[in-house]
Amino acid sequence: MDYKIRTRVSRIIVEDKIPVDSEITVLGLARTVRIGKGVAFIEVNDGSCMGNLQGVIVDPARFPILEKILTGASVRMKGKLVISQGKGQKYELAVDTVDLIGGAGPDYPLQKKRHSFEFLREIAHLRPRTNTFGAVGRIRSRLAYAIHEFYQQRGFYYVHTPIISASDCEGAGDLFRVSTFDPTSIPMKDGQVDWDQDFFAHEAFLAVSGQLEAEPMALALGDVYTFGPTFRAENSNTTRHASEFWMIEPEMAWAELDDNMDLAEDFLKHLFRYALEECADDMDFFSKWIDKEARQTLEDVIQSDFERITYTEAIKLLEKSGEKFEYPITWGVDLQTEHERYLTEKTFRKPVIVYDYPEEIKPFYMWVNDDGKTVRAMDVLVPRVGEIIGGSQREDRHDVLLDRIKKKGMTDLESLEWYLDLRRFGTIPHSGFGLGFDRALMYITGIANIRDIQLFPRVPRWARF
């Protein structure tokens, strides 16, 4: 059977590229099947777009195979594209031949009704066939392309940082270890695990970030970006946390904090504009069925000039607000989502970039300001969710960086010797940030749970499929 000469449904009903009366072949999954005495209808979806193409079969008795075509079956239909005689679609296929490629019985879980997200997580291998998760898959692909487009057009180089790392970028300790040791017989030496006998002869972890490894490339090539999976062994069961997720992390040489803020604002606007303009069909679906404010939310961000305030200014505004926050606000505490949303939704009514955070609550690699109390960190906050991007100007002074590492209690200086070398040999001011791709997709689509953005989510006590 030749499946190559097929016409994608999107070419017909979205792009409108197929002339009427064309003889075409369509392959896809049957969404609905209705068989009458003189005519039968099969609606087929091939995943290329939200819509289905209806096949019309006159005198269905000619095709006994129709009795075996149930919802979920994969079929091939050949015929002529014609103007639809019914309501709800512009075109339909006048079917000459129909073949059953792969059957689906009456126990097929995705019948023609709305299913809860909780139910669909239990059948994550089938949920991409639903309207919602088909749209998620398409928009995820298109926006991945938009990310590369944004950075490539600006002269950034795409670099592949390791997934297995010997460094803890954030210093938080929420790491997945990578080891070949038999857990029932771990070699010990002087009362400690003898890592010298492990595969890498050293402790190794799944990377929490590509930042540290991207910095040497930025100092050599100028501007680079990573886009890949990262991992956090954080026992958090919120709707925004996953143990495995994708991150976009640009790193710019000869760039200070203002350059970082400019890039972050431009990047978000590019992604949101691309979603609205290039993924209009799927965005219409999200706006209708998932979040009626999805489109307007993105348009508001695109049209805004992001406010920029220091952390100290933010604290003063929150203290003067008179708002009764669940988490008390005082200088030195990390901002919580409720604080961030207050700033974006009530104080400024637009995105806000907060910068110059207390050094005690930020990682070791951030540039220390002259006051000795704050670092050149920045968080980009957007209405409805709060922080969406976090970044900083990196500390490029060797002695200051070494002092920060020691203050953070990071005793394994040997594992960071290469990182310190970057400051010893031709140090360069540089800056960067990270955007969690999955969280960005949540914001764009209006989907409330990160488990419904990822194909097979990895969260505490759940790693099925």
Side-chain angles (χ1 to χ4, degrees):
M1 294 183 180
D2 187 356
Y3 302 130
K4 294 181 180 178
I5 48 174
R6 66 174 174 129
T7 300
R8 291 184 180 271
V9 172
S10 61
R11 295 278 290 167
I12 302 168
I13 66 175
V14 177
E15 300 172 30
D16 207 357
K17 296 290 187 181
I18 308 302
V20 172
D21 293 333
S22 296
E23 295 286 343
I24 61 174
T25 298
V26 174
L27 294 111
L29 297 173
R31 285 288 180 86
T32 63
V33 183
R34 292 170 290 147
I35 304 174
K37 290 183 179 180
V39 64
F41 301 94
I42 303 178
E43 283 194 31
V44 168
N45 185 281
D46 67 356
S48 63
C49 65
M50 180 63 61
N52 306 325
L53 182 67
Q54 178 172 268
V56 181
I57 303 168
V58 177
D59 190 13
R62 295 179 298 147
F63 302 104
I65 196 67
L66 287 174
E67 298 295 336
K68 296 182 179 180
I69 297 177
L70 305 178
T71 298
S74 62
V75 299
R76 176 176 61 184
M77 299 189 301
K78 289 185 177 182
K80 183 183 292 186
L81 187 68
V82 298
I83 299 296
S84 178
Q85 300 302 305
K87 295 181 179 179
Q89 64 272 332
K90 183 176 181 181
Y91 302 111
E92 60 190 20
L93 186 66
V95 177
D96 294 325
T97 64
V98 57
D99 297 303
L100 174 62
I101 306 301
D107 59 343
Y108 179 62
L110 299 174
Q111 296 300 317
K112 193 176 180 181
K113 64 177 182 178
R114 296 195 72 177
H115 300 285
S116 71
F117 283 166
E118 290 77 14
F119 168 73
L120 292 173
R121 288 174 205 150
E122 299 287 338
I123 53 168
H125 56 304
L126 295 175
R127 67 179 180 170
R129 303 182 186 191
T130 65
N131 286 335
T132 300
F133 291 94
V136 168
R138 284 187 296 272
I139 205 166
R140 189 181 188 100
S141 173
R142 298 300 301 278
L143 290 178
Y145 172 83
I147 289 164
H148 289 293
E149 178 186 67
F150 177 85
Y151 288 108
Q152 293 290 329
Q153 288 179 351
R154 285 159 178 75
F156 282 68
Y157 296 99
Y158 180 34
V159 297
H160 298 156
T161 53
I163 292 174
I164 298 175
S165 175
S167 304
D168 177 7
C169 177
E170 299 301 320
D174 298 324
L175 303 165
F176 289 104
R177 276 194 170 81
V178 177
S179 173
T180 57
F181 280 157
D182 178 351
T184 65
S185 180
I186 296 177
M188 306 293 289
K189 184 178 181 180
D190 300 328
Q192 304 290 325
V193 174
D194 186 3
W195 293 109
D196 192 56
Q197 294 191 45
D198 203 2
F199 186 89
F200 294 110
H202 192 283
E203 276 192 283
F205 314 94
L206 293 180
V208 300
S209 166
Q211 177 204 316
L212 298 190
E213 291 84 355
E215 287 187 47
M217 297 300 290
L219 302 190
L221 301 181
D223 296 334
V224 303
Y225 69 103
T226 75
F227 183 17
T230 52
F231 307 85
R232 304 279 170 90
E234 185 178 0
N235 189 20
S236 180
N237 284 286
T238 76
T239 58
R240 288 169 53 81
H241 285 83
S243 301
E244 176 183 346
F245 52 96
W246 281 60
M247 285 273 285
I248 307 103
E249 297 178 288
E251 196 72 32
M252 300 177 288
W254 312 106
E256 298 191 356
L257 193 61
D258 284 340
D259 304 300
N260 216 21
M261 295 183 197
D262 292 343
L263 184 72
E265 181 171 344
D266 290 347
F267 180 39
L268 278 184
K269 290 180 176 180
H270 173 81
L271 277 188
F272 296 170
R273 189 179 297 112
Y274 192 97
L276 292 175
E277 295 175 358
E278 303 298 329
C279 309
D281 190 39
D282 290 319
M283 284 303 301
D284 286 345
F285 171 83
F286 292 125
S287 295
K288 181 177 180 180
W289 296 105
I290 303 298
D291 180 359
K292 295 187 184 303
E293 298 180 12
R295 274 188 168 276
Q296 191 60 52
T297 296
L298 302 188
E299 288 171 356
D300 288 345
V301 172
I302 292 168
Q303 294 165 10
S304 298
D305 292 324
F306 291 15
E307 191 72 30
R308 300 182 183 187
I309 61 172
T310 66
Y311 168 89
T312 300
E313 291 168 337
I315 293 298
K316 289 178 180 178
L317 288 170
L318 293 166
E319 286 176 335
K320 292 178 181 178
S321 69
E323 193 83 2
K324 293 183 178 179
F325 295 113
E326 180 182 353
Y327 294 91
I329 194 72
T330 183
W331 200 97
V333 303
D334 206 357
L335 297 182
Q336 300 297 316
T337 299
E338 61 174 339
H339 307 138
E340 297 167 343
R341 291 191 61 177
Y342 185 89
L343 292 170
T344 58
E345 296 170 21
K346 295 186 178 180
T347 304
F348 295 105
R349 299 181 183 276
K350 63 178 180 177
V352 179
I353 303 179
V354 179
Y355 62 97
D356 285 356
Y357 280 78
E359 63 91 14
E360 289 187 357
I361 62 174
K362 290 298 181 180
F364 71 94
Y365 52 75
M366 297 184 176
W367 206 94
V368 180
N369 288 314
D370 292 341
D371 60 14
K373 296 166 51 182
T374 61
V375 291
R376 290 185 184 171
M378 69 164 199
D379 285 340
V380 181
L381 318 179
V382 291
R384 306 185 71 184
V385 300
E387 181 195 348
I388 194 169
I389 282 177
S392 70
Q393 181 175 334
R394 317 311 189 189
E395 181 56 74
D396 57 75
R397 298 163 295 185
H398 179 275
D399 292 346
V400 178
L401 178 61
L402 181 59
D403 183 59
R404 285 271 287 157
I405 291 172
K406 291 178 178 178
K407 278 185 177 179
K408 291 291 181 181
M410 302 170 71
T411 56
D412 186 12
L413 290 178
E414 184 180 348
S415 67
L416 288 171
E417 194 63 39
W418 65 273
Y419 190 70
L420 287 161
D421 272 355
L422 298 174
R423 279 68 177 171
R424 292 178 58 218
F425 305 126
T427 189
I428 295 173
H430 57 293
S431 300
F433 62 78
L435 170 67
F437 189 38
D438 304 274
R439 286 190 181 179
L441 289 170
M442 290 172 64
Y443 195 72
I444 289 166
T445 62
I447 289 177
N449 198 314
I450 198 169
R451 293 166 175 83
D452 302 320
I453 283 292
Q454 299 178 327
L455 176 59
F456 297 132
R458 301 293 183 243
V459 295
R461 304 186 66 79
W462 185 269
R464 288 180 56 188
F465 304 101

